[in-house]
Amino acid sequence: MIERWKWFVIRISKRPWFRASLYSVLGIATALVALVAAPYIPDDVPTKIGSDAVDNILGVLASSMLAVTTFSLSIMVAAYGSATNNVTPRAISLLVEDPTTQNTLSTFVGSFIFSLVGIIALSTGLYGDNGRVVLFAATIIVVILVLYALLRWIDQLSGLGRVAETTARVEKAATQALCQRMEQPFLGGRPLEVDPKALPGARPLYPRKIGFVQHIDMPALGELTQAEDRAVYICVLPGIFVEPSQPIAWSVGIGEDCDDALRDAFVIGAQRTFDRDPRYGIIVMAEVASRALSPGINDQGTAVDVIGRGVRVLSHLSRPTPPEDPKFDRVFAPGLSVADMLDDFFTPIARDGAAIIEVCIRLQQALASLGRLGDAAVALAANRHASMALRRAEAALTMPDDYQRVCQAADAAGLLDTSNQQGK
């Protein structure tokens, strides 16, 4: 249950309103701290500093921060619309969750709230001369933070919503999710190597919701299987679409009174997330390439760039990983399918780019790179996709010379025997 709440807290902390609310509370607390610190200020300090100086600064800060926040929000909305049209709508969540953007806007909102509370407190006479000095010092610090946030915001705006920047964010999210899964290929449990339906006493567990599995609380399942005669066999992974007629797990030795606790370990939502679902990041990258290859955009350069990014992400499938020490001995989970990962990425790109020679050649080179990394399963899947991409190119390319160039690229890659195809 703790793991489940931890995941929820992480998800909530990525929402824009969370940081904005946190910075607003901080702004209020900073403005009111002068009331507590005022008695500790020597009486002659207000005269030396000029305690009335804070009024004008707070007024300028309040008016400017409101305008800057409104302007920044309009820029964000325009950037999200541009990314939706030119990249893919599935990548917008990464832009919304960007910590730099959230921190910048939260700083603007927090400084506006700080100045507003300060002005209200000054007008009521709560501070006194000594309190004004403390407020003046806090205002200087807030101004410095605002200037720093503005400089970061200017740098951030140079790439916000652009295709290359958004694609880089998707690549980073997919890489993080895949590396995390490679460290725990079975989510911390043991590999699922048997058909749970054939086990004696196994009971199916059906979900009550319809949607995508977003998270599996393995510690909760581990607590339910502490007894030696208990076990849970997971049938789904994060990213799988489930509905009430499809079992998400099978339990052995666990009574029906624990079914609700078992279901609570599976977080099901309306949309897929990048955090625990490496296949989703791969799918979104393929969507970026497919959109770039559409007749309305016709940007094969972006597709070639995405293919290179996909090779970087999928190369982690061949990375040697130490044997996993299962934390939950009686929880069994399926592992990632290498074939499915390559299907998710290369199939749509090969289909939509079959008539573009640059894409066809780059696909053969990319698949050859994956095949040479040493993992047998990756090499087998790469060989299969290279063969399919070559057949798609044969059907789509109208110039025989173009097809010969693709065959030469495939032959140079060493994955296929193209001697028969080149003679056609």
Side-chain angles (χ1 to χ4, degrees):
M1 185 60 69
I2 295 177
E3 177 71 17
R4 176 185 173 92
W5 281 108
K6 179 182 176 182
W7 183 82
F8 274 120
V9 169
I10 291 175
R11 293 300 306 166
I12 291 175
S13 65
K14 293 182 178 181
R15 305 306 302 165
W17 63 264
F18 179 84
R19 297 198 188 198
S21 302
L22 188 62
Y23 277 56
S24 298
V25 172
L26 248 114
I28 296 173
T30 304
L32 297 180
V33 75
L35 298 175
V36 180
Y40 302 97
I41 302 299
D43 293 336
D44 60 336
V45 173
T47 304
K48 295 178 180 179
I49 294 180
S51 59
D52 294 335
V54 70
D55 300 74
N56 295 331
I57 299 177
L58 287 176
V60 172
L61 197 62
S63 59
S64 59
M65 284 301 98
L66 182 61
V68 168
T69 303
T70 305
F71 177 69
S72 299
L73 287 173
S74 64
I75 291 177
M76 285 177 55
V77 172
Y80 295 161
S82 174
T84 300
N85 295 328
N86 298 325
V87 188
T88 172
R90 260 65 61 187
I92 301 304
S93 62
L94 294 176
L95 299 181
V96 174
E97 295 173 359
D98 177 58
T100 301
T101 302
Q102 290 189 11
N103 288 335
T104 301
L105 291 178
S106 299
T107 300
F108 295 158
V109 173
S111 60
F112 171 72
I113 298 296
F114 162 80
S115 57
L116 203 61
V117 173
I119 291 173
I120 294 173
L122 283 174
S123 63
T124 59
L126 291 177
Y127 286 123
D129 289 341
N130 291 354
R132 283 172 173 266
V133 173
V134 179
L135 185 63
F136 177 80
T139 303
I140 297 300
I141 295 174
V142 170
V143 169
I144 293 174
L145 292 176
V146 168
L147 290 175
Y148 175 72
L150 278 172
L151 293 176
R152 291 192 69 187
W153 187 228
I154 292 172
D155 181 67
Q156 183 80 354
L157 290 178
S158 62
L160 189 63
R162 296 184 181 273
V163 175
E165 176 69 18
T166 307
T167 308
R169 292 176 189 271
V170 177
E171 178 190 355
K172 182 180 179 181
T175 301
Q176 289 177 345
L178 183 56
C179 290
Q180 184 182 36
R181 179 63 60 80
M182 296 302 293
E183 292 175 358
Q184 291 186 330
F186 307 105
L187 306 177
R190 291 188 178 276
L192 181 64
E193 298 175 341
V194 298
D195 185 1
K197 292 184 290 186
L199 295 174
R203 290 191 311 107
L205 178 71
Y206 296 97
R208 291 198 178 102
K209 296 180 179 179
I210 298 176
F212 295 96
V213 177
Q214 296 179 338
H215 176 67
I216 300 177
D217 189 350
M218 293 295 288
L221 295 177
E223 290 181 7
L224 292 169
T225 57
Q226 288 181 352
E228 301 229 353
D229 59 342
R230 292 185 169 192
V232 171
Y233 298 84
I234 299 173
C235 302
V236 296
L237 289 174
I240 299 299
F241 186 82
V242 297
E243 35 82 17
S245 68
Q246 172 190 3
I248 54 177
W250 292 75
S251 63
V252 175
I254 302 177
E256 295 183 4
D257 56 324
C258 295
D259 282 357
D260 288 338
L262 287 172
R263 289 190 185 93
D264 289 341
F266 294 84
V267 180
I268 299 174
Q271 296 178 340
R272 299 177 74 168
T273 61
F274 289 92
D275 295 338
R276 300 286 191 272
D277 185 4
R279 288 185 62 182
Y280 186 49
I282 290 293
I283 290 172
V284 173
M285 290 179 64
E287 286 184 359
V288 176
S290 292
R291 183 175 291 247
L293 293 171
S294 64
I297 297 180
N298 193 25
D299 180 16
Q300 58 264 27
T302 294
V304 171
D305 176 66
V306 170
I307 292 172
R309 296 180 186 275
V311 171
R312 282 197 293 270
V313 175
L314 293 171
S315 65
H316 293 280
L317 291 171
S318 300
R319 187 184 65 182
T321 56
E324 182 183 7
D325 184 18
K327 299 179 181 178
F328 315 104
D329 289 339
R330 285 175 286 277
V331 180
F332 300 84
L336 279 176
S337 170
V338 171
D340 289 344
M341 293 283 288
L342 268 66
D343 287 345
D344 292 336
F345 184 72
F346 287 107
T347 298
I349 300 178
R351 177 197 63 214
D352 297 331
I356 303 175
I357 184 173
E358 296 91 342
V359 176
C360 294
I361 292 175
R362 187 67 186 94
L363 277 173
Q364 296 296 332
Q365 295 171 345
L367 289 164
S369 298
L370 289 174
R372 288 193 297 263
L373 290 176
D375 185 86
V378 174
L380 181 63
N383 198 337
R384 180 170 62 88
H385 276 280
S387 177
M388 289 192 299
L390 192 63
R391 293 199 300 271
R392 291 179 188 275
E394 182 182 11
L397 291 173
T398 57
M399 290 286 295
D401 291 343
D402 288 344
Y403 178 65
Q404 291 298 323
R405 289 179 58 190
V406 178
C407 289
Q408 291 171 3
D411 185 59
L415 285 176
L416 299 172
D417 181 11
T418 60
S419 56
N420 294 331
Q421 286 91 342
Q422 291 183 20
K424 293 182 181 180

